[in-house]
Amino acid sequence: MNKKAKTNWTPSLEEFTGWYNIRDDYGDGHPVLRSKEPMPEFEHAEIFELYPKAAKWFDQLVTARPNIPFDPLVEPPFFVRSDADDRTLDIDADFSYLTVRLLRRIQKEFLGRYPLWRVILTGEQPSCSIVIYPTAIRFGNLPADVDPEHALRELVPRVLALRAARERPQREHISRLQRLLPGAVERIGDRPFLVCGMLGNYKGDYSRLTICLLIRGADSDAIDIDGPLGSPNDLLWCGSAFSVDAKGAIISYIHVPETALFCLARWLPLADYRGPLVVCRCLVRRR
């Protein structure tokens, strides 16, 4: 296959916006790229069967790095998304794990079993994402014939820098929570909860405040915050909870184990709200 044909049939995300390997178009104006004709019909049962196998395969692809301090923002090295409208498997990837050998494994071992599919390793933006086809690997918007080692040396630092910039407001938010918690654990005493602070934004979103509620035990739903009767539904949001140890350190995020001594709930009122809020025991568990 010549270079022109390879570029046409295995495009980067910036070279092609449309559907991949479906038999008919969706009537939405987007083109369809097909790697063969005739193309079998694509049905949802196909992704329902593929997804659990793909999730398990990518979960075992690399070994998580040992002895790394807990970081609430760190995600799995590879996270397979469950949505698919065509034969494209979108994967949120930690680019610091990527090597040419690993990409070849995805191509030969995984796509070798599913040759009508392609894999996209999301790299913060299309110009940094890697598209893996059974016959080619496209590195961002670099030429189709780029040396893979050179491509990774160029893409990986760029993606990690973009990720750090995206996460900066969240990391600043977590840092402020971590500074509040040791003192809050000391002050809570025998009380079931303690309002331990308020932040002037929510992860950089200045339309929301953050009320920090330290709760004894693992049930972040045990204590509620209510606005006045008739207040709008968007007055208060509730963020995901953290579990907190006896020293006030955050030890897990979202999934709070039943053995946790404390949990931290974050309530997010509108920043321009001026009125009463009531902290109370939750009699009806939220769902």
PDB file of all heavy atoms in Angstrom, residues 251-271:
ATOM      1  N   ILE A 251      -7.617   9.476  51.662  1.00  0.00           N
ATOM      2  CA  ILE A 251      -7.092   8.147  51.320  1.00  0.00           C
ATOM      3  C   ILE A 251      -7.866   7.468  50.196  1.00  0.00           C
ATOM      4  O   ILE A 251      -7.429   6.434  49.692  1.00  0.00           O
ATOM      5  CB  ILE A 251      -7.058   7.218  52.558  1.00  0.00           C
ATOM      6  CG1 ILE A 251      -8.436   7.135  53.222  1.00  0.00           C
ATOM      7  CG2 ILE A 251      -6.027   7.710  53.564  1.00  0.00           C
ATOM      8  CD1 ILE A 251      -8.510   6.152  54.378  1.00  0.00           C
ATOM      9  N   SER A 252      -9.003   8.009  49.788  1.00  0.00           N
ATOM     10  CA  SER A 252      -9.694   7.478  48.615  1.00  0.00           C
ATOM     11  C   SER A 252     -10.676   8.533  48.130  1.00  0.00           C
ATOM     12  O   SER A 252     -11.015   9.473  48.850  1.00  0.00           O
ATOM     13  CB  SER A 252     -10.416   6.150  48.900  1.00  0.00           C
ATOM     14  OG  SER A 252     -11.560   6.357  49.697  1.00  0.00           O
ATOM     15  N   TYR A 253     -11.135   8.329  46.900  1.00  0.00           N
ATOM     16  CA  TYR A 253     -12.031   9.299  46.269  1.00  0.00           C
ATOM     17  C   TYR A 253     -13.183   8.556  45.628  1.00  0.00           C
ATOM     18  O   TYR A 253     -12.993   7.498  45.012  1.00  0.00           O
ATOM     19  CB  TYR A 253     -11.239  10.097  45.222  1.00  0.00           C
ATOM     20  CG  TYR A 253     -12.030  11.123  44.442  1.00  0.00           C
ATOM     21  CD1 TYR A 253     -12.975  11.932  45.068  1.00  0.00           C
ATOM     22  CD2 TYR A 253     -11.824  11.292  43.084  1.00  0.00           C
ATOM     23  CE1 TYR A 253     -13.688  12.884  44.356  1.00  0.00           C
ATOM     24  CE2 TYR A 253     -12.529  12.249  42.355  1.00  0.00           C
ATOM     25  CZ  TYR A 253     -13.460  13.037  43.001  1.00  0.00           C
ATOM     26  OH  TYR A 253     -14.162  13.975  42.290  1.00  0.00           O
ATOM     27  N   ILE A 254     -14.391   9.083  45.769  1.00  0.00           N
ATOM     28  CA  ILE A 254     -15.645   8.574  45.205  1.00  0.00           C
ATOM     29  C   ILE A 254     -16.091   7.296  45.909  1.00  0.00           C
ATOM     30  O   ILE A 254     -17.175   7.247  46.499  1.00  0.00           O
ATOM     31  CB  ILE A 254     -15.536   8.342  43.683  1.00  0.00           C
ATOM     32  CG1 ILE A 254     -15.204   9.655  42.963  1.00  0.00           C
ATOM     33  CG2 ILE A 254     -16.854   7.750  43.144  1.00  0.00           C
ATOM     34  CD1 ILE A 254     -15.039   9.520  41.464  1.00  0.00           C
ATOM     35  N   HIS A 255     -15.271   6.236  45.878  1.00  0.00           N
ATOM     36  CA  HIS A 255     -15.641   4.977  46.525  1.00  0.00           C
ATOM     37  C   HIS A 255     -15.089   4.985  47.954  1.00  0.00           C
ATOM     38  O   HIS A 255     -13.919   4.656  48.180  1.00  0.00           O
ATOM     39  CB  HIS A 255     -15.119   3.781  45.735  1.00  0.00           C
ATOM     40  CG  HIS A 255     -15.625   3.737  44.327  1.00  0.00           C
ATOM     41  ND1 HIS A 255     -16.958   3.528  44.020  1.00  0.00           N
ATOM     42  CD2 HIS A 255     -15.000   3.919  43.146  1.00  0.00           C
ATOM     43  CE1 HIS A 255     -17.115   3.560  42.711  1.00  0.00           C
ATOM     44  NE2 HIS A 255     -15.951   3.796  42.158  1.00  0.00           N
ATOM     45  N   VAL A 256     -15.932   5.364  48.917  1.00  0.00           N
ATOM     46  CA  VAL A 256     -15.512   5.447  50.308  1.00  0.00           C
ATOM     47  C   VAL A 256     -15.726   4.081  50.957  1.00  0.00           C
ATOM     48  O   VAL A 256     -16.857   3.598  51.016  1.00  0.00           O
ATOM     49  CB  VAL A 256     -16.318   6.529  51.058  1.00  0.00           C
ATOM     50  CG1 VAL A 256     -15.910   6.573  52.522  1.00  0.00           C
ATOM     51  CG2 VAL A 256     -16.113   7.884  50.401  1.00  0.00           C
ATOM     52  N   PRO A 257     -14.659   3.425  51.450  1.00  0.00           N
ATOM     53  CA  PRO A 257     -14.836   2.103  52.061  1.00  0.00           C
ATOM     54  C   PRO A 257     -15.612   2.188  53.366  1.00  0.00           C
ATOM     55  O   PRO A 257     -15.580   3.217  54.060  1.00  0.00           O
ATOM     56  CB  PRO A 257     -13.391   1.634  52.300  1.00  0.00           C
ATOM     57  CG  PRO A 257     -12.583   2.891  52.377  1.00  0.00           C
ATOM     58  CD  PRO A 257     -13.243   3.857  51.445  1.00  0.00           C
ATOM     59  N   GLU A 258     -16.294   1.125  53.699  1.00  0.00           N
ATOM     60  CA  GLU A 258     -17.113   1.108  54.912  1.00  0.00           C
ATOM     61  C   GLU A 258     -16.273   1.268  56.173  1.00  0.00           C
ATOM     62  O   GLU A 258     -16.796   1.646  57.223  1.00  0.00           O
ATOM     63  CB  GLU A 258     -17.920  -0.186  54.982  1.00  0.00           C
ATOM     64  CG  GLU A 258     -18.987  -0.310  53.893  1.00  0.00           C
ATOM     65  CD  GLU A 258     -19.817  -1.568  54.032  1.00  0.00           C
ATOM     66  OE1 GLU A 258     -19.552  -2.343  54.976  1.00  0.00           O
ATOM     67  OE2 GLU A 258     -20.725  -1.778  53.206  1.00  0.00           O
ATOM     68  N   THR A 259     -14.979   0.988  56.073  1.00  0.00           N
ATOM     69  CA  THR A 259     -14.108   1.082  57.243  1.00  0.00           C
ATOM     70  C   THR A 259     -13.572   2.495  57.476  1.00  0.00           C
ATOM     71  O   THR A 259     -12.849   2.723  58.446  1.00  0.00           O
ATOM     72  CB  THR A 259     -12.911   0.131  57.065  1.00  0.00           C
ATOM     73  OG1 THR A 259     -12.243   0.432  55.825  1.00  0.00           O
ATOM     74  CG2 THR A 259     -13.379  -1.325  57.039  1.00  0.00           C
ATOM     75  N   ALA A 260     -13.904   3.434  56.606  1.00  0.00           N
ATOM     76  CA  ALA A 260     -13.363   4.784  56.730  1.00  0.00           C
ATOM     77  C   ALA A 260     -13.803   5.432  58.044  1.00  0.00           C
ATOM     78  O   ALA A 260     -14.961   5.342  58.440  1.00  0.00           O
ATOM     79  CB  ALA A 260     -13.814   5.642  55.554  1.00  0.00           C
ATOM     80  N   LEU A 261     -12.863   6.095  58.738  1.00  0.00           N
ATOM     81  CA  LEU A 261     -13.189   6.792  59.975  1.00  0.00           C
ATOM     82  C   LEU A 261     -14.004   8.049  59.712  1.00  0.00           C
ATOM     83  O   LEU A 261     -14.900   8.403  60.486  1.00  0.00           O
ATOM     84  CB  LEU A 261     -11.909   7.153  60.726  1.00  0.00           C
ATOM     85  CG  LEU A 261     -11.092   5.993  61.276  1.00  0.00           C
ATOM     86  CD1 LEU A 261      -9.831   6.511  61.952  1.00  0.00           C
ATOM     87  CD2 LEU A 261     -11.919   5.162  62.244  1.00  0.00           C
ATOM     88  N   PHE A 262     -13.669   8.744  58.612  1.00  0.00           N
ATOM     89  CA  PHE A 262     -14.364   9.968  58.254  1.00  0.00           C
ATOM     90  C   PHE A 262     -14.543  10.020  56.739  1.00  0.00           C
ATOM     91  O   PHE A 262     -13.843   9.343  55.983  1.00  0.00           O
ATOM     92  CB  PHE A 262     -13.557  11.218  58.673  1.00  0.00           C
ATOM     93  CG  PHE A 262     -13.209  11.284  60.125  1.00  0.00           C
ATOM     94  CD1 PHE A 262     -11.958  10.867  60.566  1.00  0.00           C
ATOM     95  CD2 PHE A 262     -14.112  11.777  61.055  1.00  0.00           C
ATOM     96  CE1 PHE A 262     -11.623  10.934  61.904  1.00  0.00           C
ATOM     97  CE2 PHE A 262     -13.782  11.845  62.392  1.00  0.00           C
ATOM     98  CZ  PHE A 262     -12.535  11.425  62.825  1.00  0.00           C
ATOM     99  N   CYS A 263     -15.474  10.848  56.311  1.00  0.00           N
ATOM    100  CA  CYS A 263     -15.572  11.164  54.899  1.00  0.00           C
ATOM    101  C   CYS A 263     -15.786  12.665  54.759  1.00  0.00           C
ATOM    102  O   CYS A 263     -16.269  13.326  55.690  1.00  0.00           O
ATOM    103  CB  CYS A 263     -16.687  10.378  54.203  1.00  0.00           C
ATOM    104  SG  CYS A 263     -18.338  10.661  54.863  1.00  0.00           S
ATOM    105  N   LEU A 264     -15.390  13.181  53.631  1.00  0.00           N
ATOM    106  CA  LEU A 264     -15.532  14.602  53.355  1.00  0.00           C
ATOM    107  C   LEU A 264     -16.537  14.774  52.230  1.00  0.00           C
ATOM    108  O   LEU A 264     -16.322  14.304  51.112  1.00  0.00           O
ATOM    109  CB  LEU A 264     -14.194  15.211  52.945  1.00  0.00           C
ATOM    110  CG  LEU A 264     -14.243  16.698  52.580  1.00  0.00           C
ATOM    111  CD1 LEU A 264     -14.507  17.541  53.819  1.00  0.00           C
ATOM    112  CD2 LEU A 264     -12.968  17.141  51.889  1.00  0.00           C
ATOM    113  N   ALA A 265     -17.648  15.432  52.528  1.00  0.00           N
ATOM    114  CA  ALA A 265     -18.648  15.752  51.520  1.00  0.00           C
ATOM    115  C   ALA A 265     -18.469  17.212  51.112  1.00  0.00           C
ATOM    116  O   ALA A 265     -18.119  18.068  51.932  1.00  0.00           O
ATOM    117  CB  ALA A 265     -20.056  15.527  52.066  1.00  0.00           C
ATOM    118  N   ARG A 266     -18.687  17.479  49.823  1.00  0.00           N
ATOM    119  CA  ARG A 266     -18.576  18.855  49.326  1.00  0.00           C
ATOM    120  C   ARG A 266     -19.928  19.285  48.768  1.00  0.00           C
ATOM    121  O   ARG A 266     -20.438  18.682  47.836  1.00  0.00           O
ATOM    122  CB  ARG A 266     -17.500  18.929  48.241  1.00  0.00           C
ATOM    123  CG  ARG A 266     -16.086  18.656  48.743  1.00  0.00           C
ATOM    124  CD  ARG A 266     -15.121  18.501  47.589  1.00  0.00           C
ATOM    125  NE  ARG A 266     -15.480  17.381  46.744  1.00  0.00           N
ATOM    126  CZ  ARG A 266     -14.968  17.157  45.535  1.00  0.00           C
ATOM    127  NH1 ARG A 266     -14.090  18.001  45.029  1.00  0.00           N
ATOM    128  NH2 ARG A 266     -15.330  16.105  44.836  1.00  0.00           N
ATOM    129  N   TRP A 267     -20.483  20.336  49.375  1.00  0.00           N
ATOM    130  CA  TRP A 267     -21.738  20.900  48.897  1.00  0.00           C
ATOM    131  C   TRP A 267     -21.433  22.192  48.165  1.00  0.00           C
ATOM    132  O   TRP A 267     -20.600  22.990  48.611  1.00  0.00           O
ATOM    133  CB  TRP A 267     -22.692  21.117  50.071  1.00  0.00           C
ATOM    134  CG  TRP A 267     -23.271  19.820  50.542  1.00  0.00           C
ATOM    135  CD1 TRP A 267     -22.735  18.960  51.459  1.00  0.00           C
ATOM    136  CD2 TRP A 267     -24.478  19.222  50.093  1.00  0.00           C
ATOM    137  NE1 TRP A 267     -23.540  17.859  51.609  1.00  0.00           N
ATOM    138  CE2 TRP A 267     -24.622  17.988  50.789  1.00  0.00           C
ATOM    139  CE3 TRP A 267     -25.461  19.587  49.181  1.00  0.00           C
ATOM    140  CZ2 TRP A 267     -25.702  17.140  50.594  1.00  0.00           C
ATOM    141  CZ3 TRP A 267     -26.551  18.744  48.982  1.00  0.00           C
ATOM    142  CH2 TRP A 267     -26.661  17.542  49.690  1.00  0.00           C
ATOM    143  N   LEU A 268     -22.125  22.410  47.050  1.00  0.00           N
ATOM    144  CA  LEU A 268     -21.731  23.457  46.114  1.00  0.00           C
ATOM    145  C   LEU A 268     -22.890  24.412  45.848  1.00  0.00           C
ATOM    146  O   LEU A 268     -23.622  24.278  44.864  1.00  0.00           O
ATOM    147  CB  LEU A 268     -21.256  22.818  44.803  1.00  0.00           C
ATOM    148  CG  LEU A 268     -20.334  21.591  44.950  1.00  0.00           C
ATOM    149  CD1 LEU A 268     -20.109  20.929  43.596  1.00  0.00           C
ATOM    150  CD2 LEU A 268     -19.021  21.990  45.581  1.00  0.00           C
ATOM    151  N   PRO A 269     -23.080  25.395  46.703  1.00  0.00           N
ATOM    152  CA  PRO A 269     -24.145  26.372  46.448  1.00  0.00           C
ATOM    153  C   PRO A 269     -23.720  27.366  45.370  1.00  0.00           C
ATOM    154  O   PRO A 269     -22.537  27.572  45.111  1.00  0.00           O
ATOM    155  CB  PRO A 269     -24.306  27.067  47.799  1.00  0.00           C
ATOM    156  CG  PRO A 269     -22.945  26.969  48.423  1.00  0.00           C
ATOM    157  CD  PRO A 269     -22.391  25.647  47.974  1.00  0.00           C
ATOM    158  N   LEU A 270     -24.708  28.005  44.753  1.00  0.00           N
ATOM    159  CA  LEU A 270     -24.421  29.077  43.809  1.00  0.00           C
ATOM    160  C   LEU A 270     -23.682  30.202  44.524  1.00  0.00           C
ATOM    161  O   LEU A 270     -24.032  30.579  45.641  1.00  0.00           O
ATOM    162  CB  LEU A 270     -25.723  29.606  43.208  1.00  0.00           C
ATOM    163  CG  LEU A 270     -26.425  28.669  42.208  1.00  0.00           C
ATOM    164  CD1 LEU A 270     -27.845  29.160  41.938  1.00  0.00           C
ATOM    165  CD2 LEU A 270     -25.635  28.611  40.902  1.00  0.00           C
ATOM    166  N   ALA A 271     -22.646  30.720  43.892  1.00  0.00           N
ATOM    167  CA  ALA A 271     -21.796  31.710  44.550  1.00  0.00           C
ATOM    168  C   ALA A 271     -22.536  33.001  44.870  1.00  0.00           C
ATOM    169  O   ALA A 271     -22.188  33.689  45.830  1.00  0.00           O
ATOM    170  CB  ALA A 271     -20.580  32.000  43.676  1.00  0.00           C
TER     171      ALA A 271
END
